[in-house]
Amino acid sequence: MTIYLDNAATTKPCQEAVDAAVRAMTLYYGNPSSLHRAGLEAQLETDKARKIIAKSLGTDSGNIIFTSGATESNNLAIRGTAAAYGKRKRKIVASAIEHASVDETLLAMESIGFEVVRVAAREDGRYYAADFLQACDENTCLLTMMSVNNETGYIMPVKETFSAVKRRFPDIRTHSDCVQAYMKIPVNAAALNADLISLSGHKIHGAKGIGALYIKKGVRVLPIVSGGKQEKGIRSGTEAVPLICAFGAAVEKFMPTIAERYKRAEELKASLLEKLSGIDGVTVNSPGDGSPYIINISAAGKRSEIMLHYLESRDIYVSSGSACSKGQQSGVLGIFGITGKAADSALRISITAETTEDELEAFAQSLRDGIANVRG
Ligand code: PLP
């Protein structure tokens, strides 16, 4: 039996999402831009999903733009905001632990002359609103800060930071990559004081290849893809109706149970940590108050990749704890003070509320066996 503990990488689509996609492909195959009835029906279906996603963020449908995924949403938020400010504001402030889709985009912005300030954690390994506020000035066009770090589960102080920055610099746009928070902790656009929020369908049991960008009413974002002017001209390209419907169905399913699933995930995390505490050489890299859905550990100096494949041989799937893309270390663990062998042996276990005690027990047992049997 497969034990899938890599839900921060991607999730299994829920049946409701699959059914919604099949239904859309079967019945609503028109182009939402077409003027005939088939087009209108497809448009009504995308609008239904748009409404569900908008409601989940506490906003209106008019503020949701569909994209191909959070990578594109993050690119659009950063490049589109910078372009909207033109030459007037040439500085971007970010956290130092952003996902590659933000970080690589920031590097691209630097290469065209933008100043990018990456705010680091303090010595205690934590991020503080005051440090972001200090990094911002009148020349800053954008502040970007993820909600939950995808490698460690660290929960960023988004609300405090955005509120403090907005109070002093109302013109600075605030963007949060909420991919690992969405449907796990409440994400409310107004409460976060966010102008822009990136979401991904495949991290919430929807489908791959679909994402969304929330853009607060009145906030200007210039398109990075030009064409038929779909999505209010901000993201051209025929809407991926089946994937949008799958995204909407997943949100509709999971939105009402965020709090109870979070509680269950906390119980599961506590139980896993308890099991791991009995294994020699295992250390926990995730903060105690991090997202219960992501648990990053180091496995007794055994190289992540070797251990990952050992677990795979037992049909257990986890991630290498410091990989953002195949085999490449992202450096995020280093920022949290986890370096050398501890970083090289990091594993990321990412669960859902449906993960079972038996699965965690089987994982812990296999990890124990792996530590005893594999060569570093
Ligand atoms: N942001 C974070 C925090 C992520 O974890 C991911 C996925 O790995 C992304 C962005 C990219 O999302 P997508 O796969 O939808 O492009």
Side-chain angles (χ1 to χ4, degrees):
M1 187 192 64
T2 297
I3 298 179
Y4 186 76
L5 300 173
D6 200 11
N7 291 280
T10 197
T11 55
K12 182 180 176 187
C14 61
Q15 194 55 48
E16 289 82 346
V18 174
D19 291 346
V22 170
R23 195 163 159 265
M25 293 179 92
T26 314
L27 299 175
Y28 307 116
Y29 51 82
N31 185 325
S33 298
S34 293
L35 297 178
H36 45 65
R37 184 152 27 100
L40 179 66
E41 283 173 357
Q43 194 205 317
L44 289 175
E45 290 302 306
T46 60
D47 284 349
K48 253 191 242 167
R50 200 187 303 275
K51 212 173 187 172
I52 292 166
I53 292 162
K55 193 171 163 216
S56 74
L57 298 177
T59 188
D60 301 326
S61 296
N63 303 334
I64 302 296
I65 300 295
F66 285 117
T67 65
S68 63
T71 296
E72 186 187 332
S73 299
N74 286 337
N75 269 264
L76 178 58
I78 296 168
R79 295 174 194 266
T81 300
Y85 272 105
K87 290 201 162 54
R88 286 184 295 132
K89 292 179 187 277
R90 306 282 288 173
K91 180 172 165 183
I92 300 172
V93 174
S95 90
I97 54 167
E98 295 297 315
H99 184 263
S101 54
V102 167
D103 205 43
E104 290 286 323
T105 307
L106 295 177
L107 286 173
M109 300 310 289
E110 280 178 310
S111 76
I112 55 167
F114 277 79
E115 181 193 356
V116 175
V117 177
R118 293 176 181 79
V119 175
R122 288 194 193 168
E123 266 187 16
D124 61 3
R126 307 193 69 81
Y127 281 86
Y128 291 89
D131 298 342
F132 288 88
L133 183 60
Q134 202 179 22
C136 291
D137 60 21
E138 295 296 342
N139 192 34
T140 307
C141 58
L142 180 72
L143 164 64
T144 179
M145 182 197 252
M146 71 194 333
S147 290
V148 171
N149 180 259
N150 51 299
E151 291 182 45
T152 61
Y154 185 90
I155 300 174
M156 296 293 268
V158 176
K159 184 176 169 182
E160 299 86 312
T161 306
F162 285 5
S163 304
V165 166
K166 281 283 182 190
R167 228 174 289 129
R168 174 109 46 102
F169 303 104
D171 287 346
I172 294 182
R173 301 306 188 204
T174 49
H175 167 243
S176 187
D177 171 348
C178 288
V179 166
Q180 298 291 350
Y182 192 50
M183 292 298 118
K184 296 186 172 73
I185 59 178
V187 177
N188 181 287
L192 286 180
N193 233 318
D195 293 318
L196 302 149
I197 291 175
S198 298
L199 305 174
S200 175
H202 73 100
K203 310 281 186 178
I204 62 145
H205 307 277
K208 292 170 187 62
I210 186 70
L213 182 65
Y214 158 79
I215 306 178
K216 188 181 175 180
K217 194 162 185 254
V219 167
R220 205 160 155 254
V221 173
L222 296 190
I224 56 173
V225 177
S226 45
K229 295 203 169 19
Q230 289 89 346
E231 299 294 298
K232 299 167 86 182
I234 295 172
R235 201 280 187 171
S236 286
T238 303
E239 288 89 349
V241 182
L243 305 182
I244 290 171
C245 292
F247 193 4
V251 174
E252 190 166 42
K253 173 173 180 167
F254 291 109
M255 184 64 197
T257 56
I258 288 180
E260 57 199 80
R261 282 184 295 106
Y262 191 87
K263 198 163 164 276
R264 178 68 190 141
E266 280 187 318
E267 289 165 6
L268 289 167
K269 178 181 174 182
S271 161
L272 176 63
L273 293 181
E274 167 77 30
K275 294 180 206 311
L276 296 178
S277 68
I279 306 176
D280 271 354
V282 172
T283 51
V284 179
N285 301 324
S286 291
D289 60 354
S291 165
Y293 290 95
I294 297 177
I295 303 122
N296 193 308
I297 61 169
S298 291
K302 306 288 180 180
R303 283 231 321 279
S304 310
E305 216 180 309
I306 294 175
M307 186 59 87
L308 185 152
H309 290 305
Y310 177 83
L311 293 168
E312 180 196 11
S313 73
R314 297 195 164 194
D315 225 5
I316 299 173
Y317 297 90
V318 300
S319 255
S320 132
S322 60
C324 58
S325 59
K326 280 185 185 157
Q328 285 209 332
Q329 283 199 8
S330 71
V332 165
L333 286 183
I335 284 166
F336 285 108
I338 298 140
T339 53
K341 275 205 157 189
D344 289 343
S345 67
L347 294 174
R348 179 185 69 183
I349 300 112
S350 46
I351 61 171
T352 73
E354 285 71 43
T355 299
T356 65
E357 285 282 350
D358 285 351
E359 288 175 324
L360 296 181
E361 183 57 43
F363 163 74
Q365 187 54 49
S366 294
L367 185 71
R368 183 182 281 114
D369 295 347
I371 289 172
N373 294 318
V374 304
R375 293 176 57 175

